[in-house]
Amino acid sequence: MSHGPSAPAQAHGGAHAHHVPYVPVFTDGSARLKELKDIISRYPDKRAALLPALWMVQQERGWISEDAMREVGDQLGCTAAYVKGVVTFYTMYHQHPVGKHFIQVCTTSPCLCAGADDVVKAFLEHTGCKELGLTSPDGKYTVIEVECLGACGFATPVQINEDYVESVTPEKVPGILAGLK
Amino acid sequence: MMKDEGGKMVNLTIEGRAVSVPEGTTILEAAKTAGVLVPHYCYHPGLPVAGVCRMCLVEVEKAPKLAPSCATTVGEGQVVHVYSEKALEARKGVLELLLINHPLDCPLCDPAGECELQDYTFQEGRADSRYHEPKRFNPVEDFGGDVLYVTNRCILCTRCVRFMEDVHEDAVLCVSERGDRATIGKAPDADLTQPWAANVIDLCPVGALVSKDFLNKARAWELDRTASVCTGCSQGCNNVLETRDNVVVRMKPRSNEDVNHFYLCDAGRLDYRWMNRPDRAEVPKIRLHDVLSPVDWDIAIQEVGGRMKGKRAYVVASPRLSNEALFLLKRIVKQTGGEGVFRCATGPEAPLPGVKDLSLRADRAPNVRGAELLGFKRNDADPLAGLKDGDVLVLADESLGGLDLSAAKKASAIIVIGTTLVDGITPAVVLPIANVAEEEGTFTNLRGRVQRFLQAKTAPGLARPSWYALADLATALGVPSDDMHLPSTIFTALAKSEPAFTGLSYDTIGLRGGLVAGATAGAH
Amino acid sequence: MGYPHKSHPRETPVLSKHFGDPEARTLDGWKARGGYKALAQALHMEPTAIVDIVKASGLRGRGGAGFPTGLKWSFMKIGDGKEHYLCCNADESEPGTFKDREIMRWTPHALIEGCAVGAYAIGAETAYIYIRGEFTEPINVMEKALAEARAAGIIGKNAMGSGKNIDIWVHKGAGAYICGEETALMNSLEGKRGNPRIKPPFPAVSGLFGKPTTINNVETLAAVPHILNNGAEWYKAMSLSSPKSSGSKLFSVCGNVAKPGNYEVVMGFSFKEFLYDLCGGPLPGRKFKALIPGGSSVPTITIEEAEAIKMDYEGFVEQGTMLGSGGVIIFDDAQSMPRQLARIARFYAHESCAQCTQCREGTAWMTKILERIVAGQGTYEDLDTIFELSESMTGKTICVLSDSCGAPVVSGINKFRGEFEALIKGRRSSTVAVGAR
């Protein structure tokens, strides 16, 4: 439930991807197509595989472009606009490229009263990201605020790409960043 | 929509009025039968229920919460209050919320005057707003086709999304984003150029989806509106011609469940400019010393009578003419032992998938069926094939465009009864007639539905309604025509003498149409 | 065991007994701890007999609404010739709530067993566990446990050799609080926007893929095997509030408190003792001021009100709030209530699905007013506007998200009006233009 980047990421973040022709994910004979078909078989309606399919695209391409929406739509029998409606509903799908390390700091009430604001500031400072949603000049980081990560007892939780780091305080931020590959 | 009769009926009270409706009817539809229009935005009888605008909330006695009347079916013994304090308060709240981010730009918004946001705010809304925060802003987007999306005016009722998804069955629109960031989204490569896409403009209850064609042309309150029938194809969609200062400026659908439901295709709705064309035949003319000279109508009619004496009338009639005009032409043909033919332009079919039997038809004229029923023979390729030496060629609203005109030389004389002169033809007589917007009459659509259209504007110069000109001509040729001084009496004569039309009258067909013999409503 | 702290002696660890124990995550480890006995037994019972036991146990939905679970299951008509579905709601997203995450992280097989029993009891051959997309670790743990269970023939075709089929799949969400609303969850699972549906039809009539469906919370389903193993009477007797509220309940505690974490106590436990004894009281030098005790959607209460609460469904209602999901958010005397409530409103504005007018526009408007007050530019009229706005937003929409935005805010203003008025009185400048940021 992230406050997704509100503006397209800076060029460093990989916006050049726009000029590269889209490479389909679900090509004939690919492992991803096999995986998708396997998932489709779990449901009576193949459209139910839409969220999983979008996850696969994001894992492969880093974000979900309009070409990707079309590809997924073609696979599951829906239009690109329909897919767009779904992609834009769920905040975890990136609508443009993001930094290599996508850092989401929970700032909802329980974390806010535990000092999440200072954690956000520390990440912005130590990553070189100028503001929330913008990617750092080296393309490594994008920092955003996120709504409740569901780990309120471990304030402040931070999600970095897929994984949680719990009980983050501003002091721990440099060490956390140093540990990212 | 009402269910078939024979189902169980449910009795309830709406605003103190007893109502009995079929089981499964919504409160909103039931209220209509009691003469009460519950304010609403997202509900539309042609679309799946969304229940999202929350404008149609009504109070149902003994229910714990206000009910969305579009999504609540009637129950036996229900007592419904549409205008109770609670219901009014709830709707007032919705109206205020719909307006907090609305630009309130009515003075420059096309739908102003026919905007349901204006109407219901005037009727039930607050006089002021308590909103003191900055308003949301989003730029205007060109949705392609005839459609412009003025994002800031959008109330997210989703009628357009549901129409494209469920009726047009081509989901090119979506709700994009969520919360108060939500707007109507479109896939970048999918413009609203689908054959029926512009219906989203009519479906939009506010000024969010506007027609590029109509943009800034007129204010809604300056328009005169006339019930008519689209002439774009043989479907016969019911429409409204909207005129300002005797100029047709817009064509909108008029709902008819038996024909077009609520819709009009883009080709039809945008094809009205010809009705305003300035290069019209305005005065009757006869050829004197090889020059077409303006004359009085009586003289022109006499001239035709003279030219036709002892000759066969070979009538090439347009299937865009009314049943009345074609009927009179048929009589003239009969009187002279002549022949009546027609041709019809064709194009690809373009169905509206979600509505049964609704399509932009291949035959691009409104009265092909009428012409056939009245005995005119179709010959698209060569309508002059049957013309014999010495025949009088009568071109009734037919320009012979794209045809080899050398065959016309066989004719002893050519009579043009039309809205314009005909290129490449030197007629003996020109009788100027009104176009479909300028006269009244009936068309018979491809399923045999006879439908009336009314006069929306005045004809230029001395041009006369086709039935008027042809009735005079028929009289001049000796056709018994005492009862043919009004379109309604011509229709009566038609119904009397043409078996297919038996039993129909101007009054009974009304504005919904009536079926010719052998046609069944079930065809729709 | 406990996690992250050790189990407190006054806790009653039923669901949380194995939190923190990595061995309990494995199939063998789980079996060694008594796992899958209940399922083995259940698969040879009549589904209605299982429903009757659950009914008799008094188990109520642990996701927030507190609807009796057995009754909910009984709405599913076995043998109606239709496909039935069970959805496990693991979209735990209510601020303050983080109990389901621990159940899935530490005892995945408990949930699988609960799902399998539940599915069988309602005549479903397929169950989907809808887990919020952020929960990478719980998803991985669940997937691994499901693979183990499938390989061991516990679920799948001919589950445990019973001749019954029970497939269970994880479905990963993608970031939307509203998908925790059961009809939104079904839409999301079907590959749609997570928009709540108009009810009726209710899920038991037309749910997932238009088929009869039951949606149960993780904690609810995880409790079911224990009830089958120990009997309905055992479950009822565990509670201090029997017969109205039965069993034990996990409470997630967070905010300004000495020992945040999950605590499992029996229904009817004293909230005062819970807060000061189990949770360790306030942070050093601070005092508790206010609580939102059932996840962020329930009314705000003062510490005085909280101390009077008996922890069961009725007990929270008596003090003007709700048990909800059991997510206890605590604010101490160093916190600004206007700031906290503005943040909660912003959460709802962010999460509104955009369908209903009152919610889409109202949550955002309320947030803007509150943020303006916090910025020192509020007026007394703003408070009236919030009350009236909350009225417009309550009880008039498809789901209760907009009600949930108003509830903590309105009660918070009522109880801490002084803090709001102090900000209003201290307006930085009376000449600031209306609407300026």
Side-chain angles (χ1 to χ4, degrees), chain B residues 337-352:
Chain B
E339 218 176 320
V341 297
F342 75 96
R343 64 165 183 162
C344 181
T346 57
E349 287 248 349
L352 181 59

Side-chain angles (χ1 to χ4, degrees), chain B residues 47 95 102 157 169 217 220 276 293 296 308 333 340 371 386 402 442 449 455-456 460 475 499 504 508 524:
Chain B
L47 302 173
L95 285 166
H102 188 283
C157 72
E169 296 181 7
K217 259 195 200 166
N276 303 324
S293 310
D296 191 63
M308 281 207 180
V333 166
T442 63
R449 182 167 292 273
Q455 183 184 345
T475 307
L504 295 175
T508 56
H524 280 281

Side-chain angles (χ1 to χ4, degrees), chain C residues 412-432:
Chain C
I413 295 175
N414 277 329
K415 285 162 188 176
F416 299 94
R417 195 176 175 103
E419 291 189 35
F420 287 86
E421 292 191 348
L423 282 168
I424 290 167
K425 277 183 203 148
R427 284 185 77 162
R428 285 202 296 262
S429 163
S430 58
T431 55
V432 171

Side-chain angles (χ1 to χ4, degrees), chain B residues 84-107:
Chain B
S84 72
E85 201 179 320
K86 256 174 90 179
L88 282 167
E89 202 53 43
R91 296 204 295 269
K92 198 192 264 188
V94 171
L95 285 166
E96 183 181 24
L97 287 163
L98 286 176
L99 288 176
I100 62 175
N101 282 299
H102 188 283
L104 303 177
D105 57 347
C106 308

